[in-house]
Amino acid sequence: LYPNPKGWSAAINAWETFQLEWLNDSQVHCIDPSKTSSSKTILTPIDVYGGERKIVAIPTTEKVFVIEARQAGVWTSWKADEKGLLAYTVDPTAKHRDHADNDCGNDPTIDKWAYYVYPNGVANPEPNCGFFDKALVGVGQSVSYNGIDVTLEAAVDGLYYVKIKID
């Protein structure tokens, strides 16, 4: 979440934090869609230190559907009301590409390792040049990918209550 007119975040996203082994395995809520049809968890935002769970990872046929909570924190400079879940798909086999030529956002025609998944009812607002707030899933909203529905049920005292339903 790079500098833009709305703010910036130096907090590394949850997927890369996991890859760097900066999260304990217990902080990853991994769901096998072939073994469960629903789950609930409580996420602590990646922008703040500590917390029992930092990431939901759901492997699908080709990608991993990742959910993390985001809010203003020590490494983040944006408005306090800009908070919620951030959902994205990751291709764990992709060659890492970031800031490719002529890239300014979430364009699926440009090969990258990850893409935002926007809340239900929000179209991909390309070009989305760093405006992360369009991708945040607020309380009462859901985001869906490949038969997986994720709802932010509540955000209380810095904890994000998440419900996952798998068709």
Side-chain angles (χ1 to χ4, degrees):
L1 303 174
Y2 298 97
N4 66 62
K6 296 196 84 133
W8 57 270
S9 177
I12 299 173
N13 68 65
W15 181 258
E16 289 181 306
T17 303
F18 167 68
Q19 286 186 309
L20 290 168
E21 298 180 355
W22 291 352
L23 293 178
N24 296 324
D25 287 349
S26 64
Q27 291 178 293
V28 179
H29 186 73
C30 190
I31 299 171
D32 181 345
S34 70
K35 295 183 179 176
T36 189
S37 61
S38 66
S39 183
K40 287 188 174 193
T41 193
I42 302 169
L43 293 177
T44 303
I46 198 71
D47 315 80
V48 297
Y49 183 76
E52 289 186 35
R53 297 277 185 285
K54 292 285 197 176
I55 181 174
V56 176
I58 309 168
T60 66
T61 306
E62 296 175 1
K63 298 185 181 198
V64 179
F65 188 38
V66 175
I67 309 295
E68 63 183 74
R70 298 303 300 253
Q71 69 180 33
V74 176
W75 302 288
T76 309
S77 174
W78 64 54
K79 294 178 186 173
D81 65 343
E82 294 174 326
K83 60 184 178 182
L85 301 179
L86 186 63
Y88 48 98
T89 59
V90 172
D91 180 350
T93 65
K95 180 172 97 175
H96 181 81
R97 293 187 65 180
D98 196 13
H99 297 290
D101 292 340
N102 301 314
D103 176 31
C104 188
N106 204 51
D107 185 346
T109 65
I110 297 174
D111 289 334
K112 290 190 195 181
W113 64 275
Y115 298 93
Y116 290 137
V117 180
Y118 291 92
N120 295 345
V122 175
N124 186 344
E126 280 305 314
N128 184 11
C129 301
F131 292 96
F132 62 88
D133 57 320
K134 295 175 183 175
L136 289 174
V137 179
V139 173
Q141 289 185 308
S142 297
V143 60
S144 300
Y145 175 76
N146 232 20
I148 302 165
D149 295 309
V150 177
T151 303
L152 177 55
E153 293 188 313
V156 179
D157 295 330
L159 298 175
Y160 291 70
Y161 294 78
V162 181
K163 178 175 75 172
I164 300 114
K165 184 175 178 270
I166 301 169
D167 291 333

